[in-house]
Amino acid sequence: KAALDEINLLDPASVDDKYEIQICGDLTLTEDLQINTPNIKITSDLATPPTITSTNYMITVNPGSGEDVEIEKINFSGLKGGINVTSGQLTINNSTVMNGSTYNSDYAAGITIKSGATLKSDEGLVIESCDNNIDGGHSGIFNNGGNIELTGTIIQNCDNTNAGSGGGIYTKPYIWASTSNAVNLENCIITNNTAGTGGGIYCYGTEITIKGGEISSNEAKYGEGGGIYLSNGGTDFVGKFIMQDS
């Protein structure tokens, strides 16, 4: 935390090289964590990835438009409000976000992407057991006008307990009439998620491309779309993928 605070004080215009922060053991957050400076990589060389734990705090990634923050081989458990990407791009690989919860409807228990921001994973991202427990909140991923590029990601066992929408992924434009955001899923597994509508994915006004992967055993408790609920957006299914038991 102290290392991030020091880097956040730097003038972003002066940051040319990527700063690498090595996490050498499990950590517990005692306040919200802000990552505001671009070109930061947070990683670990430990054989078992360390876990950053919290029961009352969230992580905000805000490096600025066109900038990047990278996280690799770090697990996150119990975040309240999850990881919130408000600008730039978060690239997160070989990491797990688990056991998250919500505290208002603006955030997901897992990961939230705000308008103009991007969530990217090339391998090994797992989002599991991230549950919404408030009216209108979100569970696994909430994409509010941003972009998602996921390869080989697993989203599982996420529950929108208050009959909301999108147990695994909820995606919409920041402005409801717009269709400017996009979701690309390649060889992803979305399984055992529940919601009122769109147990696996709830997609409104978003261009979504699904290439390979599996959407299975998801449940819409009170509405339509056990696997995927689509409205006012474009969908492109590429190649073979599995859709079953949803």
Side-chain angles (χ1 to χ4, degrees):
K1 174 69 165 60
L4 277 172
D5 287 342
E6 183 175 345
I7 289 174
N8 282 334
L9 292 174
L10 296 173
D11 178 2
S14 69
V15 180
D16 295 323
D17 299 322
K18 177 159 284 189
Y19 285 81
E20 183 170 297
I21 298 175
Q22 285 278 338
I23 306 296
C24 300
D26 294 345
L27 299 174
T28 300
L29 294 183
T30 57
E31 59 184 274
D32 289 343
L33 178 61
Q34 303 279 337
I35 305 174
N36 298 328
T37 302
N39 297 322
I40 293 176
K41 180 177 182 179
I42 304 172
T43 186
S44 176
D45 288 336
L46 298 177
T48 300
T51 299
I52 297 177
T53 303
S54 173
T55 56
N56 292 302
Y57 303 105
M58 66 187 297
I59 296 173
T60 298
V61 178
N62 185 28
S65 179
E67 304 292 351
D68 178 71
V69 168
E70 184 177 354
I71 296 174
E72 185 170 16
K73 298 180 181 177
I74 306 292
N75 295 333
F76 302 88
S77 179
L79 298 176
K80 191 166 187 176
I83 299 174
N84 178 29
V85 188
T86 62
S87 70
Q89 176 173 295
L90 171 63
T91 302
I92 179 168
N93 294 317
N94 300 310
S95 301
T96 298
V97 180
M98 56 189 167
N99 303 323
S101 63
T102 50
Y103 71 90
N104 69 39
S105 60
D106 291 333
Y107 303 100
I111 300 178
T112 300
I113 307 98
K114 296 293 188 178
S115 178
T118 297
L119 172 67
K120 182 178 181 181
S121 181
D122 299 309
E123 60 177 354
L125 172 60
V126 178
I127 299 173
E128 63 179 358
S129 302
C130 290
D131 300 338
N132 169 51
N133 53 10
I134 64 170
D135 187 32
H138 307 281
S139 44
I141 292 177
F142 174 34
N143 181 32
N144 190 16
N147 297 288
I148 298 175
E149 302 174 15
L150 302 179
T151 300
T153 292
I154 298 172
I155 304 172
Q156 60 187 4
N157 304 322
C158 295
D159 184 12
N160 204 330
T161 57
N162 281 281
S165 301
I169 298 174
Y170 183 107
T171 179
K172 72 174 187 68
Y174 178 68
I175 300 173
W176 283 97
S178 170
T179 57
S180 59
N181 58 330
V183 173
N184 294 292
L185 307 176
E186 183 172 352
N187 297 324
C188 294
I189 297 174
I190 300 173
T191 185
N192 290 316
N193 303 289
T194 59
T197 302
I201 300 172
Y202 182 96
C203 176
Y204 180 93
T206 302
E207 299 295 323
I208 183 168
T209 299
I210 300 175
K211 182 178 180 180
E214 176 181 328
I215 300 174
S216 64
S217 302
N218 302 286
E219 180 184 3
K221 290 182 177 180
Y222 307 110
E224 299 176 322
I228 306 175
Y229 180 90
L230 301 170
S231 178
N232 290 6
T235 308
D236 189 11
F237 297 102
V238 181
K240 296 180 179 180
F241 78 101
I242 298 171
M243 172 81 81
Q244 64 184 15
D245 299 329
S246 293

